[in-house]
Amino acid sequence: MATSFVQELVLRTAEKHGAPGPVAQELLAGARPCLHLVPFQSLTPAQQEEARPAARTGGLPCLPYGADWPDGLEPLVLTVDCAALPHEALDIELPSDGSLLFFTEIEYEPESSVVLHVPGGVRTTERSAAYELDGEPEQVRVYQPGVLYPVPGLTVSPDWHDAPATSAFLDGGVGREDILNDFENAVRDAASGGASHGVDVRLGGFSSPWQLAPDDGDLVLLAQIHGQSIDYRVFAQTLIVGTREDIARRRYEGLEFEQQV
């Protein structure tokens, strides 16, 4: 998302909602871009006309010859088609081709979680969910596949209310907290072009945690996966964080997974 476009969007939205220019600039200074991955019905009619799928929830993994389901046998919850992502929309470095596969448990605290990158051009085959345990047939949990579409968005630092101009604005009268909240929500909606993304999969940006934010210090958000985006009965979310360097160098074994309920 171009910087000039974002700046114009934020300033225009601030004027509409009664937020002063310095407050808008402080929101901008703390903002980070993201990509929402949403189902087709969450797109606006205009977005649907140009929609190109970029990810899939659930299903079975397609892996290179010789590669099998990860040792922990966690479910496949998300497959991202890296080449289909608008990479200029993010401030973290993802692969330009191939697929990112996310294996983790969304219903219970996962014992092990894995992110794999399968490079583009590598021949793959779909892996079965069946396996044996102590001679007995078992099966990895397989979630219903669902197609997701990328929508550029904007997230805001959780600390932006503490910035000088914003803090002074809050101290200036009753009801200003509501003005800032309405302003921030309007910025998020405008940045996504009106697409619905309340319960979604998100790549990059700041997390929207239900507890303490795991993207703190050197750790940034790679993905945030709402359980209901995988299975509507699962009221939990998984937050996946790592350092910018580990994400850029594809050292996914260094990622941290946190489930919040």
Side-chain angles (χ1 to χ4, degrees), residues 121-223:
V122 173
R123 293 184 61 182
T124 62
T125 57
E126 188 175 83
R127 291 291 183 265
S128 169
Y131 67 99
E132 283 192 4
L133 180 64
D134 298 329
E136 297 295 325
E138 299 286 348
Q139 181 166 310
V140 179
R141 177 68 181 267
V142 179
Y143 289 103
Q144 182 71 25
V147 179
L148 300 179
Y149 298 80
V151 175
L154 199 66
T155 60
V156 178
S157 168
D159 301 325
W160 80 281
H161 282 197
D162 298 329
T166 305
S167 180
F169 176 76
L170 280 171
D171 292 339
V174 177
R176 295 195 171 188
E177 182 79 30
D178 291 337
I179 292 175
L180 291 188
N181 290 337
D182 290 345
F183 167 46
E184 180 179 337
N185 290 333
V187 166
R188 293 177 185 272
D189 290 342
S192 64
S196 175
H197 53 82
V199 177
D200 66 351
V201 175
R202 185 194 304 165
L203 301 178
F206 290 106
S207 68
S208 300
W210 295 337
Q211 300 166 21
L212 291 177
D215 46 330
D216 187 40
D218 293 334
L219 299 177
V220 296
L221 186 73
L222 169 61

Side-chain angles (χ1 to χ4, degrees), residues 52-118:
R52 178 187 178 189
R56 185 197 70 185
T57 59
L60 294 169
C62 290
L63 298 171
Y65 177 79
D68 206 346
W69 209 288
D71 291 341
L73 297 175
E74 304 288 359
L76 174 67
V77 296
L78 178 68
T79 301
V80 176
D81 179 357
C82 297
L85 297 176
H87 285 264
E88 69 281 358
L90 293 174
D91 62 0
I92 56 174
E93 186 178 339
L94 299 185
S96 60
D97 65 8
S99 299
L100 282 177
L101 281 67
F102 294 75
F103 297 85
T104 191
E105 179 60 70
I106 61 171
E107 297 183 47
Y108 308 99
E109 189 72 30
E111 294 185 6
S112 64
S113 300
V114 176
V115 173
L116 298 178
H117 176 239
V118 178

